[in-house]
Amino acid sequence: MSMSDSDSSQSGDYKTFRQITRDRLLYEMIRSTKVKDSKSTWKVLIMDKVTVKIMSYSCKMVDITEEGVSLVEDLYKRRQPLPTMDAIYFIQPTKENVVIFLSDMSGRSPLYRKAYVFFSSPVQRELVGQIKKDTSVLPRIAALSEMNLEYFAIDSQGFVTDHERALEELFGENVEGSHKYNACLNTMATRIATTFASLKEFPYVRYRAAKSSLDVSTVTTLRDLVPTKLAAAVWNYLAKYKSTIPGFPQRETCELLIVDRTIDQIAPIIHEWTYDAMCHDLLNMDGNKYIYEVKVETKDGKQKTEKKEVLLEDHDPIWLELRHAHIADASERLHEKMTNFIMKNKAAQIHQSSRDRGELSTRDLQKVVQALPNYGEQMDKLSLHVEIAGKINNMVKELGLRDIGQLEQDLVFGDAGTKELINFLRTKQDVTPENKLRLLMIYAAIHPEKFEGDKGSKLMQLARLSSDDMNAVNNMRYLGGSDTKKTSGGAFSLKFDVYKKKHGVRKERNDEGETWQLSRFYPMIEELIEKLSKGELPKDEYPCTNDPSPTFHGSSESLPLRTAHSQPAHSMRSRRPATWARPRNSDDGYSSDSVLRHASSDFRRMGQRIFIFIVGGTTRSELRAVHKLTSKLKREIILGSSSLDDPPQFITKLKMMSAQELSLDDLQI
């Protein structure tokens, strides 16, 4: 399959962003190396440390094997010569990688028979010239091409560029004059551009304007110019694609909005109450890997405890269904699933009754055996999620998270202020240092003026923060908090200076139907995406790199790709009496499964895609928001970022913004 087979959400069967990525890797790259009269059926796949991550996010080993790959190798490790086999190189176009490739394939005894070389991003002419100069290698190259696929598909509608140190390198204390600044932006732009190469999309590129462009009294800093510079770099790559990639659109087909972490400093810190977010926030997971203990019976009849690992990913239907559900909702639905499963499954019923009676009849055993194939796997998955949800609910009680979460959201919506925060810190002595830190960081984002100079030191002393934690609070200023109060209608009006009467940084959103307690909070990208879709984003605050005319952003009719069926404003956030109950059969529209289950055919009738890229890390609440808005706006929304951060990781990165010669491993919360 070629790229054109999956280039549009408007034609053919709908495929998610991650599926398109997978198809390109498996079919356009690996399958294209199959030659009918080839003596070698099986091939070796060689990748570097970046491309192996790209592959692992989108494909499983079984997928690669089915396409004729018998061995996967690391480019940088010493490899055994296999002169009768062909090799597929999927590598970055770096000088070091090209040197290793030439070393593999040159001379009288090359490591492989033929080489199919696929570069993950555009290759420099000098490197192509270097390959062509080696006359012994040239006849052994069966293919040499640019895949233009150098992003990491973390979700069906999300990707990262894998810049874990973006906050430090682009917004940190020593960013002025740092050589890492331009290097980070350039690589980020390259990887963002390759997402559009994969989807064959050519976007209108919009970005958050620098404060200095809105207020001449503001001093321009490199931090403030990050979205501007990144947008320009992405545009340069996309302009080249128009002439270098066959079939690449010559006119705009979608929209891209580039912002940074300054638009919403609260989303990465506040407690998010969905199943997915709480798993990653509270359970010390390693990526998507969850480690748990099970009791197994030994040969001598005794019981011992063993550790098991499980991946909480899209292949698990229960995870896919519940990941965006509120933890209380997820717990109820899991209880229902377990009850229904026991009622309907013969093996489960007999297993339950045998506990009461003590023995199983021969007939009972026969029924158990017949029901076992489904019973074991389903019971294990259900039991696992019941255990996880139970563990989270226990931690919510033990850590007093409901009270903390209530204060967090009251601060955000302006229903609580300094008095309530001080009272909480004085009366709740058992709150963990991390949760006190997160409360103060939220307060600092809302009231940056109260942390100028030494003003915030008394609050931090009251909270008994360590010097390391104080550093995290103080480093919030690098994300623009201290400047926002000066703006009265500029680029940051969405963030701090609206609704000053309540001192809130979010406006209440009226919802239809009930909602769960502590679900008022919503990430700012919800408002930005909705305004972008309606054509209501102010052009001076969010200019367009390739704006075709002065009327482009004036109205929703001014852009041909606007979706025709606009819907009444509707949000999943509301001001409701606190409740942990809700109609159980309601579809909150949050899960990607919910969207795709109802809309596989509808995607063909959707408006053009919207891409939003957040420099400095994105959150699970923002990833959830794009799934929800895809269903609401009838436009597929794809979220990109430099990294996907849970609160502990984000706080660690904040600390590093002023740290000297430290690594991520050196700092703990």
Side-chain angles (χ1 to χ4, degrees), residues 204-206 252 254-255 535 539 544 546-562:
Y204 287 103
V205 182
R206 300 188 67 177
E252 290 81 354
C254 62
E255 293 177 275
K539 187 180 170 182
C544 183
N546 46 331
D547 199 343
S549 69
T551 60
F552 169 48
H553 299 293
S555 69
S556 59
E557 289 82 19
S558 62
L559 183 60
L561 55 79
R562 298 275 179 238

mmCIF file of all heavy atoms in Angstrom, residues 204-206 252 254-255 535 539 544 546-562:
data_model
loop_
_atom_site.group_PDB
_atom_site.id
_atom_site.type_symbol
_atom_site.label_atom_id
_atom_site.label_comp_id
_atom_site.label_asym_id
_atom_site.label_seq_id
_atom_site.Cartn_x
_atom_site.Cartn_y
_atom_site.Cartn_z
ATOM 1 N N TYR A 204 -2.710 24.882 7.066
ATOM 2 C CA TYR A 204 -2.532 26.278 7.434
ATOM 3 C C TYR A 204 -1.800 26.234 8.776
ATOM 4 O O TYR A 204 -2.264 25.583 9.707
ATOM 5 C CB TYR A 204 -3.883 26.973 7.624
ATOM 6 C CG TYR A 204 -4.627 27.257 6.337
ATOM 7 C CD1 TYR A 204 -5.704 26.461 5.943
ATOM 8 C CD2 TYR A 204 -4.256 28.328 5.530
ATOM 9 C CE1 TYR A 204 -6.395 26.727 4.767
ATOM 10 C CE2 TYR A 204 -4.945 28.601 4.345
ATOM 11 C CZ TYR A 204 -6.007 27.799 3.966
ATOM 12 O OH TYR A 204 -6.684 28.056 2.806
ATOM 13 N N VAL A 205 -0.669 26.903 8.887
ATOM 14 C CA VAL A 205 0.135 26.839 10.116
ATOM 15 C C VAL A 205 -0.113 28.092 10.957
ATOM 16 O O VAL A 205 0.286 29.196 10.585
ATOM 17 C CB VAL A 205 1.645 26.707 9.795
ATOM 18 C CG1 VAL A 205 2.444 26.590 11.094
ATOM 19 C CG2 VAL A 205 1.901 25.507 8.894
ATOM 20 N N ARG A 206 -0.766 27.907 12.103
ATOM 21 C CA ARG A 206 -1.024 29.019 13.017
ATOM 22 C C ARG A 206 -0.237 28.796 14.304
ATOM 23 O O ARG A 206 0.113 27.659 14.640
ATOM 24 C CB ARG A 206 -2.519 29.136 13.310
ATOM 25 C CG ARG A 206 -3.339 29.381 12.051
ATOM 26 C CD ARG A 206 -4.775 29.694 12.362
ATOM 27 N NE ARG A 206 -4.914 30.969 13.047
ATOM 28 C CZ ARG A 206 -6.112 31.492 13.381
ATOM 29 N NH1 ARG A 206 -7.229 30.834 13.097
ATOM 30 N NH2 ARG A 206 -6.188 32.652 13.996
ATOM 31 N N GLU A 252 -3.768 24.073 0.851
ATOM 32 C CA GLU A 252 -4.037 23.675 2.229
ATOM 33 C C GLU A 252 -5.219 22.716 2.352
ATOM 34 O O GLU A 252 -6.244 22.906 1.689
ATOM 35 C CB GLU A 252 -4.281 24.917 3.096
ATOM 36 C CG GLU A 252 -3.048 25.764 3.342
ATOM 37 C CD GLU A 252 -2.712 26.705 2.194
ATOM 38 O OE1 GLU A 252 -3.385 26.624 1.146
ATOM 39 O OE2 GLU A 252 -1.775 27.519 2.346
ATOM 40 N N CYS A 254 -5.833 21.212 5.774
ATOM 41 C CA CYS A 254 -6.151 21.046 7.193
ATOM 42 C C CYS A 254 -5.597 22.247 7.963
ATOM 43 O O CYS A 254 -5.075 23.191 7.357
ATOM 44 C CB CYS A 254 -5.557 19.748 7.737
ATOM 45 S SG CYS A 254 -3.751 19.691 7.634
ATOM 46 N N GLU A 255 -5.691 22.199 9.280
ATOM 47 C CA GLU A 255 -5.185 23.296 10.110
ATOM 48 C C GLU A 255 -4.247 22.761 11.187
ATOM 49 O O GLU A 255 -4.502 21.718 11.787
ATOM 50 C CB GLU A 255 -6.354 24.028 10.773
ATOM 51 C CG GLU A 255 -7.239 24.769 9.791
ATOM 52 C CD GLU A 255 -8.422 25.428 10.472
ATOM 53 O OE1 GLU A 255 -9.445 24.750 10.668
ATOM 54 O OE2 GLU A 255 -8.319 26.622 10.802
ATOM 55 N N GLY A 535 -13.519 29.325 13.498
ATOM 56 C CA GLY A 535 -12.918 30.486 12.857
ATOM 57 C C GLY A 535 -12.913 31.707 13.749
ATOM 58 O O GLY A 535 -12.919 32.844 13.271
ATOM 59 N N LYS A 539 -6.758 36.701 15.030
ATOM 60 C CA LYS A 539 -5.626 36.584 14.109
ATOM 61 C C LYS A 539 -4.364 37.242 14.652
ATOM 62 O O LYS A 539 -3.250 36.790 14.370
ATOM 63 C CB LYS A 539 -6.004 37.214 12.763
ATOM 64 C CG LYS A 539 -4.964 36.987 11.686
ATOM 65 C CD LYS A 539 -5.411 37.638 10.398
ATOM 66 C CE LYS A 539 -4.273 37.640 9.394
ATOM 67 N NZ LYS A 539 -4.651 38.311 8.146
ATOM 68 N N CYS A 544 -1.278 33.345 11.162
ATOM 69 C CA CYS A 544 -1.099 32.208 10.254
ATOM 70 C C CYS A 544 0.125 32.450 9.372
ATOM 71 O O CYS A 544 0.252 33.507 8.753
ATOM 72 C CB CYS A 544 -2.349 32.044 9.396
ATOM 73 S SG CYS A 544 -2.292 30.631 8.291
ATOM 74 N N ASN A 546 0.931 30.994 6.590
ATOM 75 C CA ASN A 546 0.578 30.995 5.169
ATOM 76 C C ASN A 546 -0.824 31.545 4.936
ATOM 77 O O ASN A 546 -1.603 30.992 4.181
ATOM 78 C CB ASN A 546 0.688 29.587 4.581
ATOM 79 C CG ASN A 546 0.042 28.530 5.462
ATOM 80 O OD1 ASN A 546 -0.025 28.653 6.676
ATOM 81 N ND2 ASN A 546 -0.439 27.463 4.842
ATOM 82 N N ASP A 547 -1.135 32.640 5.627
ATOM 83 C CA ASP A 547 -2.462 33.250 5.515
ATOM 84 C C ASP A 547 -2.671 33.792 4.099
ATOM 85 O O ASP A 547 -1.930 34.652 3.643
ATOM 86 C CB ASP A 547 -2.571 34.395 6.529
ATOM 87 C CG ASP A 547 -4.025 34.758 6.781
ATOM 88 O OD1 ASP A 547 -4.873 34.366 5.969
ATOM 89 O OD2 ASP A 547 -4.295 35.416 7.795
ATOM 90 N N PRO A 548 -3.676 33.281 3.376
ATOM 91 C CA PRO A 548 -3.860 33.678 1.985
ATOM 92 C C PRO A 548 -4.490 35.046 1.774
ATOM 93 O O PRO A 548 -4.281 35.681 0.763
ATOM 94 C CB PRO A 548 -4.774 32.588 1.420
ATOM 95 C CG PRO A 548 -5.567 32.133 2.613
ATOM 96 C CD PRO A 548 -4.658 32.281 3.802
ATOM 97 N N SER A 549 -5.305 35.503 2.746
ATOM 98 C CA SER A 549 -5.981 36.773 2.533
ATOM 99 C C SER A 549 -6.388 37.381 3.861
ATOM 100 O O SER A 549 -6.491 36.692 4.868
ATOM 101 C CB SER A 549 -7.233 36.560 1.680
ATOM 102 O OG SER A 549 -8.203 35.844 2.429
ATOM 103 N N PRO A 550 -6.656 38.718 3.884
ATOM 104 C CA PRO A 550 -7.029 39.382 5.135
ATOM 105 C C PRO A 550 -8.314 38.842 5.741
ATOM 106 O O PRO A 550 -8.550 38.980 6.918
ATOM 107 C CB PRO A 550 -7.209 40.851 4.723
ATOM 108 C CG PRO A 550 -6.453 40.989 3.442
ATOM 109 C CD PRO A 550 -6.540 39.663 2.761
ATOM 110 N N THR A 551 -9.172 38.221 4.939
ATOM 111 C CA THR A 551 -10.465 37.748 5.445
ATOM 112 C C THR A 551 -10.440 36.289 5.885
ATOM 113 O O THR A 551 -11.442 35.744 6.285
ATOM 114 C CB THR A 551 -11.546 37.878 4.351
ATOM 115 O OG1 THR A 551 -11.160 37.086 3.219
ATOM 116 C CG2 THR A 551 -11.717 39.319 3.927
ATOM 117 N N PHE A 552 -9.239 35.675 5.808
ATOM 118 C CA PHE A 552 -9.143 34.229 6.048
ATOM 119 C C PHE A 552 -9.764 33.804 7.379
ATOM 120 O O PHE A 552 -10.537 32.873 7.454
ATOM 121 C CB PHE A 552 -7.677 33.808 5.981
ATOM 122 C CG PHE A 552 -7.415 32.412 6.468
ATOM 123 C CD1 PHE A 552 -8.206 31.360 6.027
ATOM 124 C CD2 PHE A 552 -6.399 32.142 7.363
ATOM 125 C CE1 PHE A 552 -7.965 30.068 6.454
ATOM 126 C CE2 PHE A 552 -6.161 30.859 7.786
ATOM 127 C CZ PHE A 552 -6.946 29.828 7.340
ATOM 128 N N HIS A 553 -9.434 34.524 8.457
ATOM 129 C CA HIS A 553 -9.939 34.126 9.769
ATOM 130 C C HIS A 553 -11.118 34.966 10.227
ATOM 131 O O HIS A 553 -11.513 34.918 11.373
ATOM 132 C CB HIS A 553 -8.825 34.216 10.818
ATOM 133 C CG HIS A 553 -7.681 33.322 10.499
ATOM 134 N ND1 HIS A 553 -7.777 31.957 10.519
ATOM 135 C CD2 HIS A 553 -6.417 33.609 10.111
ATOM 136 C CE1 HIS A 553 -6.622 31.426 10.170
ATOM 137 N NE2 HIS A 553 -5.792 32.405 9.925
ATOM 138 N N GLY A 554 -11.666 35.737 9.323
ATOM 139 C CA GLY A 554 -12.742 36.636 9.730
ATOM 140 C C GLY A 554 -14.014 35.910 10.111
ATOM 141 O O GLY A 554 -14.714 36.302 11.024
ATOM 142 N N SER A 555 -14.356 34.847 9.412
ATOM 143 C CA SER A 555 -15.584 34.108 9.714
ATOM 144 C C SER A 555 -15.428 32.668 9.310
ATOM 145 O O SER A 555 -14.505 32.297 8.616
ATOM 146 C CB SER A 555 -16.765 34.726 8.954
ATOM 147 O OG SER A 555 -16.606 34.484 7.570
ATOM 148 N N SER A 556 -16.375 31.860 9.751
ATOM 149 C CA SER A 556 -16.280 30.434 9.429
ATOM 150 C C SER A 556 -16.505 30.178 7.951
ATOM 151 O O SER A 556 -16.110 29.151 7.430
ATOM 152 C CB SER A 556 -17.300 29.637 10.262
ATOM 153 O OG SER A 556 -18.596 30.089 10.004
ATOM 154 N N GLU A 557 -17.129 31.135 7.255
ATOM 155 C CA GLU A 557 -17.355 30.941 5.821
ATOM 156 C C GLU A 557 -16.123 31.274 4.997
ATOM 157 O O GLU A 557 -16.036 30.937 3.827
ATOM 158 C CB GLU A 557 -18.522 31.817 5.333
ATOM 159 C CG GLU A 557 -19.885 31.358 5.816
ATOM 160 C CD GLU A 557 -20.179 31.846 7.227
ATOM 161 O OE1 GLU A 557 -19.525 32.811 7.675
ATOM 162 O OE2 GLU A 557 -21.043 31.252 7.870
ATOM 163 N N SER A 558 -15.147 31.979 5.606
ATOM 164 C CA SER A 558 -14.008 32.466 4.830
ATOM 165 C C SER A 558 -13.026 31.374 4.462
ATOM 166 O O SER A 558 -12.148 31.568 3.664
ATOM 167 C CB SER A 558 -13.269 33.549 5.622
ATOM 168 O OG SER A 558 -12.767 33.004 6.830
ATOM 169 N N LEU A 559 -13.178 30.208 5.090
ATOM 170 C CA LEU A 559 -12.248 29.116 4.820
ATOM 171 C C LEU A 559 -13.005 27.938 4.233
ATOM 172 O O LEU A 559 -13.931 27.430 4.844
ATOM 173 C CB LEU A 559 -11.555 28.690 6.127
ATOM 174 C CG LEU A 559 -10.492 27.612 6.014
ATOM 175 C CD1 LEU A 559 -9.369 28.071 5.104
ATOM 176 C CD2 LEU A 559 -9.955 27.275 7.387
ATOM 177 N N PRO A 560 -12.646 27.480 3.041
ATOM 178 C CA PRO A 560 -13.419 26.423 2.390
ATOM 179 C C PRO A 560 -13.443 25.111 3.148
ATOM 180 O O PRO A 560 -14.325 24.312 2.970
ATOM 181 C CB PRO A 560 -12.709 26.254 1.037
ATOM 182 C CG PRO A 560 -11.348 26.847 1.227
ATOM 183 C CD PRO A 560 -11.523 27.946 2.230
ATOM 184 N N LEU A 561 -12.456 24.875 4.043
ATOM 185 C CA LEU A 561 -12.435 23.571 4.696
ATOM 186 C C LEU A 561 -13.236 23.543 5.988
ATOM 187 O O LEU A 561 -13.245 22.564 6.700
ATOM 188 C CB LEU A 561 -10.999 23.123 4.960
ATOM 189 C CG LEU A 561 -10.042 24.031 5.759
ATOM 190 C CD1 LEU A 561 -10.310 23.926 7.225
ATOM 191 C CD2 LEU A 561 -8.616 23.672 5.429
ATOM 192 N N ARG A 562 -13.911 24.614 6.339
ATOM 193 C CA ARG A 562 -14.753 24.583 7.542
ATOM 194 C C ARG A 562 -15.859 23.540 7.395
ATOM 195 O O ARG A 562 -16.455 23.408 6.349
ATOM 196 C CB ARG A 562 -15.402 25.955 7.767
ATOM 197 C CG ARG A 562 -14.381 27.042 8.009
ATOM 198 C CD ARG A 562 -13.991 27.088 9.461
ATOM 199 N NE ARG A 562 -12.999 28.120 9.648
ATOM 200 C CZ ARG A 562 -11.815 27.903 10.150
ATOM 201 N NH1 ARG A 562 -11.460 26.718 10.516
ATOM 202 N NH2 ARG A 562 -10.963 28.890 10.312
#
